[in-house]
Amino acid sequence: MGEGNERRVAVVAGSRTPFVKAGTAFKDRSPLELALHSVEGLAEMHGLDPGIVDTLIYGIVIVDPRIPHMARDVALRGVLPDTVRALTITDNCITGASAVAIVHDAIVRGRADVGIAGGVESMSNPPVLFNERASRTFLDAARAKSLGPKIKALSRLRPTDLAPDPADFAEPSTGLTMGEHCELMVKEWGIPRREQDEIAFRSHMRAHEATEEGRFEEQIHPLGGVEEDGLIRADTSMETLAGLPPVFDRSASGTLTAGNSSPLTDGASAVLMMSEETAEAEGFEPLAFVRDFEFVGIDPGEGLLMGPGVAVPRLLERTGLGLDDMDVVEIHEAFGGQVACNLRAWEQGWKEEAIGSVPEEKLNPNGGSIALGHPFAATGGRIVAQLAHELERRDARYGLISICGAGATAAAMILERS
């Protein structure tokens, strides 16, 4: 990695489905359908010859047990050749960034010349789970070789066993949800409700402006008549946001609402990456190059979503770059409060030396996850492609990516143009 690479890795194109609210336009589409559509978009929208792709690293967080190897199914059922090396990964909210890193390393080491990194999430279609007794009963009945034993096994069921267990997004290590953890963070860092709402408001206004100006057209592969992201609220206001009730801490001290939190989202994304030499040979103009990246894990008790407070300073120190060198800064907006906390950590120093502040005009200029949505494994690909396009649009040099992750992880990445 870094400046001494013999092979520079280019971000050539990005393709994603529109991002929509869970339970709406894509509720009848499987994760595999969404994933296939994102990869097919690279061929249909950007002229990729699928036959030149060497590797596919594709992620999903809410794994569909019927398709445990999502990446391989994408390769076999879609436009890619059967010979593609396919790897399915799951790394919570930083899955997309991890996929990009794996493809990057494969290209740098010469194991691949062309790779696709991506991810998908269908929050509309999580696996349906049952309690332990019901699960055991169904398995015993399925394994019974005759009708009598099947009936005997099923007779153990009680009416309450037939109610599916709801999906639980609590952290296994703490028992708290990400929102509950973020409430603890904003209290510790003294982040007021208004500041969180301001971050959300800017996200919607900028995403709306970017959509109206067509900045996402090269990235979004329309699906089923849906051509734009479906979560942007162009008509919201600070007054509207201020009127929403808190959802994680319902007491008077609660500040996180549905308005300043990222919504449950369906969507998929894919990023096309090539060695610099291959891009030139194949006639692709790189949008940007991957300069370097950093992944960290921290103690969940110290702030579940505070990983960027460590990852970004370490990345900047290793590359010899400063926060002031960054022309665009893309921070994943899991919550407005999480963004504010990590900005404070960079300004004041937290576990690492202070690195400074980010001017508002450089921060998420096309909106972020609060407005665009957050399909867990697809977010990293969306941010990488969005930043690469923005750097090209501005003819800017450096862009920084910061993504917090459940499990108290984080990813930081620098893209550059030169």
Side-chain angles (χ1 to χ4, degrees), residues 281-306:
E282 294 292 335
F284 286 94
E285 182 70 29
L287 294 169
F289 294 91
V290 179
R291 173 65 178 267
D292 207 345
F293 37 78
E294 178 77 21
F295 294 89
V296 304
I298 62 173
D299 182 344
E302 294 180 314
L304 186 81
L305 305 178
M306 290 301 301

Side-chain angles (χ1 to χ4, degrees), residues 87-151:
L87 175 65
T88 302
I89 66 170
T90 182
D91 201 4
N92 289 332
C93 307
I94 64 172
T95 296
S98 293
V100 168
I102 295 170
V103 172
H104 170 275
D105 288 353
I107 294 175
V108 166
R109 299 298 180 185
R111 294 191 298 273
D113 294 311
V114 179
I116 295 173
V120 63
E121 223 64 64
S122 176
M123 304 299 291
S124 295
N125 297 291
V128 177
L129 305 176
F130 291 90
N131 64 36
E132 186 175 346
R133 182 169 63 180
S135 298
R136 181 73 265 160
T137 298
F138 291 139
L139 287 171
D140 289 345
R143 290 170 181 165
K145 296 182 179 180
S146 62
L147 182 59
K150 287 182 184 292
I151 293 174

Side-chain angles (χ1 to χ4, degrees), residues 15-18 37-38 40-41 44-45 219-223 226:
S15 167
R16 65 179 176 88
T17 69
H37 192 76
S38 71
E40 288 165 358
E44 295 178 16
M45 297 171 62
Q219 302 165 54
I220 294 179
H221 188 206
L223 176 60
V226 182

Side-chain angles (χ1 to χ4, degrees), residues 3-69:
E3 208 165 13
N5 287 344
E6 293 183 3
R7 305 184 89 199
R8 291 209 300 173
V9 180
V11 175
V12 172
S15 167
R16 65 179 176 88
T17 69
F19 286 0
V20 302
K21 184 178 180 180
T24 60
F26 296 161
K27 67 179 181 179
D28 295 324
R29 297 186 181 272
S30 70
L32 180 59
E33 287 181 84
L34 299 177
L36 286 167
H37 192 76
S38 71
V39 173
E40 288 165 358
L42 294 174
E44 295 178 16
M45 297 171 62
H46 301 288
L48 168 68
D49 173 7
I52 69 172
V53 177
D54 302 306
T55 189
L56 170 69
I57 311 298
Y58 210 90
I60 184 170
V61 175
I62 304 176
V63 177
D64 184 343
R66 296 162 297 188
I67 309 177
H69 197 347

